[in-house]
Amino acid sequence: MTFVLKLISGLLIGIYISFSLGRSALDWGKTLDSSANGVAILPTQELDTAKLCPQVNALYPQSSKNAGIWTNFGELLDTEGFQKLAIEKLSGLIQIPSESYDNMPPPGEDPRWETMGQVHDYLAVAFPLIHSTFSLAKVNTYGLIYEWTGSDTSLKPYLLAAHQDVVPVNPETLDTWTYPPYSGFYDAETGIIWGRGASDDKASLAGIMLTLETLIEKGWTPKRTVVLAFGFDEEASGIHGAKTIGKALDEIYGQDGLAFIVDEGGGFKDVYGTIFATPGVAEKGHADIKVEVTSPGGHSSVPPVHTTIGYLASIITELENNPFPVELARDTVPHDTLLCYASHGRDIPHSLKHAIFKSTHCDAALRKVENMFVSKDRWYSSLVGTTQAVDMVFGGVKANALPESAYAIVNHRINTLSSVNETAAHDTQTITGIARAFNLTLRAFGEDVIPASAYLLSEPKGHIELSQAFNHELEPAPRTPTSGKGSEPWDFLSGTIKATYDAHRSLRGTDGEESKSKSVIVSPGMSTGNTDTKYYWNLTRHIFRYNHKNGAYGGEIATGVHTVNENIPLDHYLEMIRFFSTLILNADEAEVFE
């Protein structure tokens, strides 16, 4: 009997183990099936997603000095009188056509700069308290540096930046504007302020100035020094503006002399059912490469097989047929942003979410994310890889004359893991084959790649020259710390963003205590372009390209950035002002930057 009981017991245990193993194998098989290309994905519950995209509490001004002023400022934003004042300040600034153009000579040599003087005159009248409280230095005629010295000079100052200039309005588009581009018209029915610069970047400039003017009026004074820097040719690469301002700031504050910098940049919007704010913490590099072809001229009635312009067209085609690879990499901002989407996006597709998590340590999963998401999103693909765009072409002087020279300008935005030299090398390598095929000599960036002596049996038919077009190429920016030691300013900014977002929507708890934001996730971000901060790298490691723009309205297309019908909704502009007021008051209390 004992033997029979032991036998039955053994059989039952064996059945149970077999069933369990089968169930486990089935579950694992399902996990494998949930990923393309056989990439095994660990179940979500086994990953600590909080560590992949950590969040902080909303940060509200707490001191007796600042808490009441912050509350009062928030109430003021809701009043008709303040809203009318805010509209007036921005509208007046928009009415100044402070356009900047590429390759302008220095101030004093071109009358088009004189509109910047009108901006200065306007600011002095519109914000008199700032001009009687701050010191003001003008750099290279039109660059502005304001300083309000704090009561504790042992604390590092911080810098708020914006730019005075705007992209020129194409006269041929005037009839397509809903309201004249320099009217600064406010449509009370729609709640929208219209005009060139409304979104880029005069709302930031007016918002910063109105915030500080209001704080001065309320009798507030800073503990930490506040610095403002306003360039005047950001839309033309900042050659005369921010570049000279950066040198002046360096002389005043020195290397790592500022606690942090906040300039124009990212905002917040809904992604996968969750509101994400994405302050820019890195920037791509930049290079404009000139591709010039020369070959013998003559009468067009006796043309060669390929004219100079024909050679150039073939080179352009070769470049476009051989784009830079787009490869998502770990420990980059685009990958960190995706980790935040996967960790907090409520509606992100299940397979993409798991692939992103797995990509932290699996190369096959990293490639899967490229295929599933990056390659299908043109904007994100441009963010990840080095881009190329042939934006300018010149050649020929007459219809019946063979062109002796022709050139194109290829604009590159350089991957944060690459460099100007790698970009130049890629273009050189791409063009070398076609140069040989057409019997053309090639000189690239000062070095002979294919000399005339390479063609022993025949004379070269022409020449290709590669060079930096405008000599303001730029390496990718250093990345702002967002985790670990030295990331305290990032945490400070994240908490400020959450407090601003929640307060503007009355989401803060009634107990008045700091709480987890109910609605917004803050993620590292970056844009595809550059800002004036490219000249401020020496001043601090903590550069944030962020002015709290609301992307829910439709982003840059809806707000007409760099095109017709540029505008900003009044409520978005008011929320930017709330952000600057919260930032300034929080910075006055924080002591984690020293």
Side-chain angles (χ1 to χ4, degrees), residues 84-281:
K84 183 178 180 181
L85 181 67
I87 295 167
E88 175 187 305
K89 300 303 183 187
L90 178 54
S91 176
L93 198 55
I94 292 171
Q95 290 173 41
I96 303 170
S98 51
E99 298 178 340
S100 64
Y101 298 81
D102 290 339
N103 304 315
M104 287 177 69
E109 298 180 18
D110 191 320
R112 291 176 294 178
W113 288 122
E114 294 173 6
T115 56
M116 304 303 165
Q118 297 175 35
V119 173
H120 294 188
D121 294 341
Y122 176 79
L123 294 177
V125 173
F127 305 103
L129 295 180
I130 285 179
H131 286 82
S132 62
T133 303
F134 283 67
S135 65
L136 171 60
K138 295 190 177 183
V139 182
N140 200 15
T141 309
Y142 298 119
L144 299 176
I145 300 176
Y146 293 86
E147 183 188 290
W148 191 1
T149 305
S151 60
D152 188 347
T153 55
S154 69
L155 301 177
K156 283 185 178 181
Y158 63 93
L159 173 66
L160 304 180
H163 60 88
Q164 307 166 60
D165 62 310
V166 298
V167 168
V169 173
N170 183 346
E172 296 178 2
T173 67
L174 290 175
D175 291 342
T176 64
W177 284 74
T178 303
Y179 300 99
Y182 292 112
S183 65
F185 181 79
Y186 173 64
D187 186 338
E189 185 174 339
T190 60
I192 293 175
I193 304 167
W194 296 84
R196 172 63 86 230
S199 182
D200 182 16
D201 178 40
K202 290 186 174 180
S204 287
L205 201 162
I208 290 169
M209 296 294 274
L210 182 54
T211 297
L212 288 162
E213 185 84 0
T214 303
L215 289 173
I216 296 170
E217 186 177 12
K218 291 181 176 298
W220 182 83
T221 57
K223 181 179 178 182
R224 184 187 297 273
T225 296
V226 183
V227 183
L228 312 178
F230 302 145
F232 59 89
D233 62 343
E234 191 275 343
E235 300 295 0
S237 295
I239 301 299
H240 302 295
K243 187 173 184 178
T244 58
I245 290 173
K247 292 178 180 178
L249 291 170
D250 202 32
E251 291 177 2
I252 298 169
Y253 303 106
Q255 184 172 357
D256 200 32
L258 297 179
F260 63 87
I261 296 172
V262 173
D263 195 6
E264 64 170 332
F268 60 91
K269 64 179 181 180
D270 186 307
V271 181
Y272 294 126
T274 298
I275 302 297
F276 287 93
T278 51
V281 295

Side-chain angles (χ1 to χ4, degrees), residues 363-417:
D363 290 344
L366 199 62
R367 302 289 81 80
K368 180 185 177 184
V369 175
E370 286 177 8
N371 295 331
M372 292 180 67
F373 180 79
V374 176
S375 64
K376 296 179 180 179
D377 187 302
R378 187 160 64 100
W379 184 87
Y380 218 86
S381 178
S382 297
L383 195 67
V384 170
T386 295
T387 61
Q388 59 183 17
V390 181
D391 292 331
M392 303 170 70
V393 177
F394 298 88
V397 294
K398 202 170 185 299
N400 63 352
L402 297 175
E404 295 168 331
S405 67
Y407 71 88
I409 305 296
V410 185
N411 175 266
H412 294 288
R413 301 305 172 116
I414 302 170
N415 175 0
T416 56
L417 297 180

Side-chain angles (χ1 to χ4, degrees), residues 499-518:
T500 301
Y501 185 93
D502 290 355
H504 202 71
R505 291 157 184 77
S506 302
L507 298 176
R508 188 183 182 188
T510 56
D511 57 5
E513 294 296 323
E514 292 182 7
S515 60
K516 290 286 185 182
S517 174
K518 304 172 180 63

Side-chain angles (χ1 to χ4, degrees), residues 1 3 42 53 66 74 235 283 345 363 389 420 451 455-456 494 499 522 526 542 551 584:
M1 178 65 70
F3 172 77
L42 290 174
C53 184
N66 295 330
E235 300 295 0
E283 283 187 348
D363 290 344
V420 172
Y455 302 110
L456 300 177
S494 297
V522 183
M526 61 181 281
H542 309 287
I584 291 167

Side-chain angles (χ1 to χ4, degrees), residues 69-79 578 581:
I69 288 181
W70 182 78
T71 300
N72 181 259
F73 204 121
E75 294 170 349
L76 190 63
L77 288 170
D78 293 330
T79 65
R578 189 189 296 273
S581 66

